[in-house]
Amino acid sequence: MSNILVINCGSSSIKYALLLDDHDYRIYGLAENLGTPNARISGITEGQEKFEVELGQADHKQALEVAMERLKKFHFDAIGHRVVHGGEMTEAQLIDQDVIDHIKATSALAPLHNPAHLVGIDATLKMYPDLPQVAVFDTAFHQSMPEKAYHYAIPKKLYEEHGVRRYGFHGTSHAYVSERASTLAGQKNQGGWLVAHLGNGSSTCAIWNGQSLDTSMGLTPLEGLCMGTRSGDVDPSLHHFLATNLGWDLDRIDRMLNRESGLLGISGLSNDMRTLIDASEQGNHDATLAIEVFVYRLAKSLAAMSCALPQIDGLIFTGGIGENSAYIREKVIKSLPHFGFSLDSEKNKTRGQEIRIDAGTGPMIWIIPTDEESRIAQETRQVALNALETA
Ligand code: ADP
C-alpha cells in the first residue's frame, strides 16, 4: 500500500497529487476555471517538468478525465478524496454507498464543496471500481471537541433535528502541523498546542495530546477569524439589520460576508496579504487597518483557544501567511503579551521551512509548512489497509 492518489475537487477547480512511496517528489496538477471558457489544467510531470493545457469549457468530469488520462501509466494502490464537510463522521471512511449518501446528506452544510466532491468520487469509482477509495473529511479531526465547545447557545432542537452545531474545518492541516511540531519537539503528540492556519481561509485550533478541543470555524468556514474575503465573526443581527434597512436578501448578504469582506472588504484593495503589506508600507491607511484587524482578531482568537488547554507548550504558524510572513508573526506575538512568548527575530525571518523560532523562554513557537496531501495520503493508506485486513 504505497502509492496514493489524492484528489481535491473544489467548487471550480480540481487538484490532484500522486504520492509515490519510492520517490520524494510528487506528480501533481491543478485544473481551474472549470465550467468557464477559460478552463485549463497545469502541473508537474513525472520528469518534474511543468505543463499547461487549455481545456475549452471543461466541467469537473471532463477535467478529471484529462487528469486521469495523464496518470494512467502509474500504478496506485488507493485514492484519497478530500471532503470538506463530513458532518459528525469522526474519521476517514472507505467509500461505499452509505458514505456517498452521507456526503450527499451533508451537502446543505457545504453547498459549494460537497456536490463537487461527489462528482469526483463518482468519476473515479467508475474509472477504478476495484481500487479502495477513501473520503478524508476536513471536519473529522474536530469531532473530539467537547459538547461545550461545539454547541451554539441557541435552542438545542436545532442541533438535534438539523445538525446546527460547530464542526470546524482545516482539520487535516491542524492535525498534520501539530503532529509534526510535537514530533520535532520530542513530545510524541503530548501536550498543548495552539495552531494558527493563515491562508486565504484562516482558522485557529487548540490541541491537547493530539486531539482538537476547540477551533475557530463553526457550522461553516465563515465563522471566526478575519480572512482574505470572509468576514469571520459578526454580530448575528447583521442579517436582520441589512435586510430591514438596505433591503438585501439572504444571497446578497451571504455573498458580501463570504466574498466581499475580510482583508478585501476593509482595505478595498486586495485579499492578498503581500499586496496589503506593500501598500501599508507605502502609507495606505486602509491596508494598514485591514492588517491590524486581521492580527488583533487572530490574537483574540488564540487567547480564547487557550481556555481549552490545561497548558500551552507551543504555538504553530502555518498556511501561506503563517509560513511566510515574519511581519505578521511578529505582530501576532506582540499582541499576546500575557502568554510569555518570546520571538527570536533572526529565526523569525525564515520562510516556508520547519523551524522553531522562539528565543528559548516561554512556550515554543514553530513554523510548520502544512501538507494536507501528505496527511490525506496517510489516512487513506491506513483506512485502505484496515479494509484489506478485515476483508
Ligand atoms: P489557500 O488558503 O488558498 O491555500 P495560502 O495558504 O496559499 O491560501 O495563503 C495565501 C495567502 O498567503 C495570501 O494572502 C498571500 O498573500 C499570503 N502570503 C504568501 N506569501 C506571503 C509572504 N511572503 N508574506 C505575506 N503573505 C504571504
Side-chain angles (χ1 to χ4, degrees):
M1 191 60 64
S2 45
N3 297 346
I4 307 287
L5 176 64
V6 174
I7 293 181
N8 178 359
C9 274
S11 50
S12 65
S13 68
I14 298 173
K15 284 186 199 155
Y16 66 83
L18 181 58
L19 284 79
L20 302 162
D21 209 34
D22 50 355
H23 293 91
D24 55 8
Y25 62 81
R26 293 174 193 179
I27 295 158
Y28 57 88
L30 166 69
E32 52 194 338
N33 305 325
L34 301 178
T36 79
N38 303 321
R40 61 192 193 113
I41 185 167
S42 58
I44 297 286
T45 67
E46 59 274 27
Q48 295 298 282
E49 280 156 18
K50 288 187 181 163
F51 73 90
E52 184 170 340
V53 182
E54 302 296 324
L55 294 180
Q57 193 146 3
D59 59 14
H60 278 76
K61 195 161 165 288
Q62 290 159 330
L64 204 55
E65 276 163 12
V66 174
M68 297 311 273
E69 183 63 29
R70 298 190 71 90
L71 293 170
K72 73 174 186 212
K73 54 179 168 276
F74 299 102
H75 164 78
F76 36 92
D77 304 282
I79 301 179
H81 291 268
R82 179 212 180 197
V83 177
V84 164
H85 217 307
E88 293 192 320
M89 285 283 190
T90 55
E91 54 192 24
Q93 300 286 323
L94 191 69
I95 296 176
D96 58 13
Q97 194 54 48
D98 284 349
V99 172
I100 291 174
D101 290 345
H102 178 80
I103 298 171
K104 248 181 227 162
T106 316
S107 286
L109 295 169
L112 294 179
H113 290 98
N114 278 20
H117 302 321
L118 286 166
V119 172
I121 289 170
D122 182 58
T124 56
L125 282 176
K126 285 190 178 124
M127 289 179 217
Y128 296 94
D130 300 324
L131 217 54
Q133 305 205 22
V134 175
V136 181
F137 304 105
D138 278 21
T139 46
F141 181 61
H142 302 299
Q143 281 297 305
S144 46
M145 283 195 287
E147 280 187 306
K148 67 181 177 193
Y150 73 70
H151 273 288
Y152 289 114
I154 59 175
K156 196 152 168 264
K157 259 184 169 221
L158 287 167
Y159 165 62
E160 288 157 354
E161 294 174 10
H162 302 284
V164 178
R165 53 160 282 181
R166 306 183 65 252
Y167 291 93
F169 299 86
H170 289 146
T172 49
S173 176
H174 289 301
Y176 174 83
V177 299
S178 58
E179 195 176 311
R180 215 40 222 140
S182 180
T183 303
L184 292 168
Q187 305 219 154
K188 300 194 175 132
N189 240 357
Q190 297 299 299
W193 293 94
L194 293 171
V195 181
H197 174 115
L198 311 174
N200 280 313
S202 297
S203 67
T204 55
C205 188
I207 296 162
W208 178 247
N209 295 346
Q211 298 212 308
S212 168
L213 295 189
D214 203 353
T215 188
S216 59
M217 286 178 168
L219 176 73
T220 74
L222 183 56
E223 187 176 332
L225 305 178
C226 164
M227 309 183 212
T229 63
R230 285 175 241 165
S231 64
D233 295 340
V234 292
D235 186 327
S237 291
L238 183 61
H239 284 71
H240 189 267
F241 176 89
L242 294 173
T244 312
N245 293 285
L246 279 69
W248 288 14
D249 63 17
L250 286 176
D251 283 346
R252 176 76 191 88
I253 298 171
D254 201 52
R255 195 164 68 242
M256 181 274 288
L257 293 174
N258 274 293
R259 297 184 197 279
E260 299 164 10
S261 297
L263 295 174
L264 173 67
I266 297 172
S267 70
L269 182 67
S270 174
N271 63 323
D272 191 294
M273 186 56 92
R274 278 165 299 197
T275 308
L276 296 184
I277 294 173
D278 288 347
S280 172
E281 282 168 0
Q282 306 294 319
N284 182 316
H285 172 268
D286 289 347
T288 305
L289 177 64
I291 295 168
E292 281 178 0
V293 170
F294 178 90
V295 169
Y296 181 59
R297 284 178 167 239
L298 169 59
K300 279 210 296 186
S301 176
L302 289 167
M305 286 297 135
S306 75
C307 297
L309 297 177
Q311 134 196 338
I312 301 172
D313 290 271
L315 165 63
I316 302 164
F317 287 101
T318 193
I321 300 170
E323 292 163 24
N324 293 302
S325 181
Y327 180 79
I328 296 294
R329 289 190 296 259
E330 188 184 338
K331 277 183 167 294
V332 173
I333 297 299
K334 279 199 178 133
S335 305
L336 288 165
H338 312 297
F339 288 77
F341 289 117
S342 65
L343 194 63
D344 180 318
S345 51
E346 271 310 304
K347 289 182 183 155
N348 186 40
K349 288 179 185 155
T350 314
R351 285 183 50 185
Q353 277 179 39
E354 286 179 340
I355 182 174
R356 185 171 164 180
I357 57 170
D358 57 84
T361 57
M364 292 178 274
I365 310 172
W366 284 86
I367 302 172
I368 305 283
T370 195
D371 188 350
E372 287 159 292
E373 285 152 3
S374 153
R375 177 77 189 195
I376 292 171
Q378 181 193 331
E379 293 192 28
T380 299
R381 197 173 284 124
Q382 198 53 54
V383 171
L385 277 174
N386 291 347
L388 274 180
E389 276 165 19
T390 51

